Amino acid sequence: MPLADQLARARTSSGFGQDDLANALGVSRAMVSYWELGKRRPNDRQLAALSQLLRAPIGVLLGHEEAAPAPDIASMLLRGADQALPDDALSGLGDFVAFLDTYADLAEAARFAIRGMGQSPFISGPGFESADDARRKAEEVRSHLRFGLGAVGDMDTVCEMLGVTVYRADLGADLTRTVSGAFLHHPRVGFSILVNLAMTPGRRRFTLAHELAHALFHSDSRYLVSTAAKPPRERFADAFAGEFLMPTEGVRRVMEEQGFGPRIEEPTEVIHLQRFFDVSYITALVRLRQAKFLTQARFDSFKVIRPVLLARSLGYDIGDEEYSQHPERWGLERFPQRFRRLLRLAVQKDVLSVPSAAALTRLSIDEITDLVTTNMTASPEPSAELLELQEYEASGVLGIA
Amino acid sequence: MSSESPNSVVDTVVLRYFLLVGRVDLLVSLLGAPLGIPRIVFDPDEGDVPDAARSEITKSVSYQQRVAVDPARDTTEQGDASRKAAQLAGVAEMHQADLLVILDMTDAELRIASQLVSPSGCKAFGLSFPLGAGEAACIAIGTTRDLVVATDDADALRALRTIAPTHPYERIRKLLMRSAEIHMISKVDANQLHAEMQRLGFWDTISPFPKPKTKGQA
């Protein structure tokens, strides 16, 4: 089959529209159309980019080789979705599955233990899918992790502690149509979570907790895709995530300590609680309403304020990503921490060359070089960290057992 | 644009390190002008495209430019990245000065390159993982057009030996040694350039020339 036909077929099967592909490559839609009609031919650079974007080997695009028959886990994932998904979501789901396969191959070659969770340590059974069940399960997991009633720290670290792999991809910003996250029990990596990068930091965190609920309590399903629709398991995962990140008793305690309440009266109080528990403003509002710390009237009036502006006026640090999301700026950070360690190790042990590592991750040679060679030793000039250490040393606190 | 035929085809890693230390003149003198560069390594016609569609050198430039303004990096890192971005961007001046010529692959070359970047196809060349696209293009073009291959990727060299065991190739250390042997630079300079490349991430740990023994050493 000629290149033109192969391109059209690969584009359609990987979920790209002509517009999307044109945008991803920085060419016009007409150019993509010319390629597919055989009137023009992509150059070598564009062909390499097409191969990566469409996840089709160059040989397949050129008609030199047959597409390898592989288990189509990506399609299985898509059947798990209960509505038609946009092209960027289809592409991101495909990336997720391809990444997990690569991770497993590389770990095997480098003799690196992924330590992925393949069986949940928590018991769940059919029929336990109410919001109350979810909240009890969240308490159980928090207790297992010794979190007490406080805020949960870095969710990536929590997942890594549990042996759950977390990967991020741009799945599109229209959350009424696209996927916020997905769970897959990968045969070689174990429980794996995908998070949509095109969401606010608070929403990404909630999605991670939501997918963690699927991993820990719904792993009898090999794959689950979370969209705006809410069947019982999705409602369970939402309730779990809310309680896990912002436990009712923990909220009550912080409110007492801060002198709020018994009911929340001001949006500034919501902001303080939101920032303390590191959730989105809307999640905080919903949790406070669910726990009846907020009346319906206050909920209705608070939901229309601009939380980032209010938080800034209260002196909170606001990250760039709270204003707008830039999925394209994510490089190595898209990948799980454990995979990054594997990549570094594989290059240092000559299992993988720097250019090959760049090709596998679709990153620049410079970014891989930085990962592999960054000198973590402090520079001789006084740094803030060294000054802090000197203060500790001067206080004599290091000698106290 | 150069109309001359190149004697060599150079991959991203070799070009990158000579650009970063500001000594592409050595590369050009030793390999002869113009240097052959696959379009995947550098494409002067690519314009302002998304990262996914960039050539390998401009992808590196783009990454360094982002680091240079990243508020999460300290000023030393930002300054280093800014310098690297400027040095790497020098590839465009080389092209304008006819010091390099961009090479597009023929169908036969694309067939070889596509095997080298394929997870299954690369196994036939003794590789566990596919080559980067730039390295694969270099091997395909070099072996087909009988050009000297300049690469420092051990996997690319393994593939080259499988395709054409006696095909001529150049590595960075060898190039630095030759530069000193023909008195373009001193041996001390060669070692210093190598050390500077190492500081910038180059993985080769052996200096071009033995370090002079200091007093007290046997």
Side-chain angles (χ1 to χ4, degrees):
Chain A
M1 194 186 291
L3 172 64
D5 296 334
Q6 290 286 6
L7 267 181
R9 192 164 80 167
R11 178 182 59 74
T12 310
S13 66
S14 62
F16 275 96
Q18 282 191 340
D19 275 331
D20 304 304
L21 194 57
N23 288 337
L25 291 169
V27 298
S28 65
R29 181 186 175 160
M31 182 60 78
V32 174
S33 179
Y34 282 150
W35 291 342
E36 293 185 358
L37 291 169
K39 291 182 176 174
R40 299 284 291 269
R41 187 186 163 105
N43 66 30
D44 295 351
R45 172 182 57 81
Q46 291 163 331
L47 196 58
L50 281 164
S51 166
Q52 296 236 319
L53 285 165
L54 302 176
R55 292 181 305 284
I58 291 176
V60 171
L61 292 178
L62 294 170
H64 296 161
E65 61 178 282
E66 292 290 313
D72 192 2
I73 303 174
S75 294
M76 290 166 55
L77 270 167
L78 304 181
R79 281 196 292 274
D82 44 17
Q83 62 189 59
L85 295 172
D87 296 336
D88 30 14
L90 302 184
S91 169
L93 286 165
D95 276 352
F96 176 44
V97 177
F99 159 72
L100 294 172
D101 291 341
T102 300
Y103 186 9
D105 289 345
L106 188 56
E108 193 178 302
R111 296 169 189 246
F112 180 89
I114 290 177
R115 300 190 198 286
M117 180 187 277
Q119 190 169 9
S120 172
F122 302 98
I123 297 166
S124 64
F128 288 89
E129 288 185 345
S130 72
D132 283 342
D133 294 328
R135 282 193 274 276
R136 274 194 292 277
K137 291 296 180 189
E139 285 169 17
E140 191 182 333
V141 176
R142 286 184 64 97
S143 169
H144 174 82
L145 294 166
R146 309 269 195 276
F147 283 168
L149 296 175
V152 176
D154 176 40
M155 275 299 293
D156 280 78
T157 305
V158 170
C159 288
E160 183 167 329
M161 280 165 59
L162 289 165
V164 177
T165 295
V166 179
Y167 178 76
R168 293 175 173 81
D170 180 5
L171 306 174
D174 181 359
L175 296 178
T176 60
R177 293 179 61 235
T178 192
V179 171
S180 52
F183 160 71
L184 173 70
H185 184 178
H186 188 274
R188 292 192 290 159
V189 176
F191 294 171
S192 305
I193 287 174
L194 169 67
V195 177
N196 186 357
L197 269 176
M199 303 191 296
T200 60
R203 186 130 188 193
R204 288 199 295 262
R205 196 167 143 83
F206 186 88
T207 296
L208 244 177
H210 172 109
E211 300 302 335
L212 185 62
H214 287 320
L216 298 179
F217 300 104
H218 303 147
S219 57
D220 54 324
S221 291
R222 195 168 161 210
Y223 49 89
L224 285 164
V225 177
S226 302
T227 63
K230 295 291 177 196
R233 286 191 159 188
E234 293 304 307
R235 289 200 299 272
F236 174 97
D238 274 353
F240 173 93
E243 182 69 22
F244 184 74
L245 295 172
M246 208 172 163
T248 307
E249 278 311 303
V251 173
R252 191 192 310 279
R253 184 170 295 183
V254 175
M255 284 175 61
E256 284 170 6
E257 286 167 356
Q258 295 295 314
F260 303 160
R263 292 271 195 278
I264 294 289
E265 300 293 340
E266 298 292 335
T268 53
E269 295 171 346
V270 182
I271 295 288
H272 290 309
L273 289 165
Q274 175 223 338
R275 296 279 152 174
F276 180 86
F277 287 103
D278 195 7
V279 295
S280 71
Y281 177 75
I282 292 299
T283 295
L285 271 187
V286 169
R287 290 292 297 135
L288 291 169
R289 178 71 195 121
Q290 285 173 334
K292 299 191 170 40
F293 295 134
L294 195 63
T295 63
Q296 186 63 44
R298 291 266 189 257
F299 178 86
D300 290 337
S301 65
F302 291 176
K303 70 185 178 189
V304 294
I305 74 151
R306 298 171 70 185
V308 176
L309 290 181
L310 182 54
R312 193 177 63 189
S313 74
L314 293 170
Y316 286 103
D317 281 339
I318 308 295
D320 287 349
E321 286 248 299
E322 292 193 62
Y323 291 110
S324 57
Q325 289 71 54
H326 301 281
E328 74 283 0
R329 290 185 192 166
W330 287 66
L332 270 168
E333 302 82 10
R334 282 191 297 120
F335 295 93
Q337 293 162 357
R338 198 164 178 80
F339 175 77
R340 284 181 258 163
R341 286 203 291 279
L342 165 60
L343 205 57
R344 189 178 161 102
L345 182 81
V347 173
Q348 287 171 340
K349 286 171 69 177
D350 286 334
V351 173
L352 195 65
S353 70
V354 168
S356 293
L360 280 183
T361 52
R362 301 186 203 174
L363 297 171
S364 69
I365 285 175
D366 285 51
E367 190 156 4
I368 298 296
T369 303
D370 277 359
L371 170 77
V372 176
T373 61
T374 297
N375 184 357
M376 301 297 177
T377 309
S379 63
E381 293 90 43
S383 65
E385 288 79 13
L386 280 178
L387 290 173
E388 187 181 351
L389 179 61
Q390 284 166 9
E391 283 178 33
Y392 272 117
E393 286 170 339
S395 72
V397 74
L398 290 177
I400 298 170
Chain B
M1 187 184 295
S2 175
S3 56
E4 287 186 57
S5 298
N7 300 317
S8 63
V9 56
V10 181
D11 80 358
T12 305
V13 167
V14 173
L15 184 58
R16 176 182 185 271
Y17 282 110
F18 278 93
L19 280 165
L20 285 176
V21 298
R23 291 307 305 262
V24 282
D25 58 310
L26 298 179
L27 205 52
V28 172
S29 297
L30 291 165
L31 298 176
L35 305 173
I37 304 288
R39 191 174 292 278
I40 294 170
V41 172
F42 174 65
D43 181 358
D45 306 320
E46 76 184 44
D48 187 17
V49 294
D51 259 9
R54 288 187 197 280
S55 60
E56 292 182 350
I57 288 284
T58 54
K59 196 182 268 191
S60 287
V61 173
S62 167
Y63 167 72
Q64 297 295 356
Q65 286 171 339
R66 280 201 306 276
V67 174
V69 295
D70 182 354
R73 310 285 183 138
D74 66 31
T75 50
T76 308
E77 277 183 290
Q78 289 177 338
D80 278 350
S82 183
R83 274 188 294 278
K84 284 179 187 170
Q87 294 287 80
L88 292 170
V91 70
E93 289 163 32
M94 287 182 75
H95 180 252
Q96 281 161 7
D98 289 341
L99 296 176
L100 49 86
V101 61
I102 306 305
L103 304 175
D104 289 300
M105 284 187 275
T106 62
D107 277 352
E109 289 160 355
L110 273 168
R111 186 183 287 264
I112 298 170
S114 69
Q115 280 183 282
L116 291 168
V117 298
S118 156
S120 55
C122 72
K123 306 271 190 282
F125 301 92
L127 305 176
S128 302
F129 292 95
L131 292 185
E135 284 68 29
C138 271
I139 301 296
I141 293 171
T143 52
T144 309
R145 302 185 199 183
D146 203 18
L147 303 179
V148 173
V149 173
T151 181
D152 226 295
D153 181 343
D155 286 342
L157 290 170
R158 185 175 302 133
L160 179 64
R161 280 193 289 271
T162 307
I163 298 170
T166 58
H167 193 89
Y169 67 88
E170 294 281 2
R171 303 184 71 159
I172 290 175
R173 192 193 327 143
K174 200 163 102 185
L175 288 166
L176 290 171
M177 289 166 75
R178 281 182 48 209
S179 302
E181 282 159 5
I182 59 174
H183 304 294
M184 290 180 68
I185 55 174
S186 69
K187 290 181 177 178
V188 173
D189 289 341
N191 279 356
Q192 282 176 346
L193 284 172
H194 188 271
E196 176 63 2
M197 289 180 183
Q198 274 188 302
R199 191 188 69 77
L200 294 162
F202 183 40
W203 44 82
D204 180 24
T205 54
I206 302 172
S207 296
F209 297 99
K211 302 238 168 77
K213 288 172 184 158
T214 53
K215 278 184 183 174
Q217 282 186 317

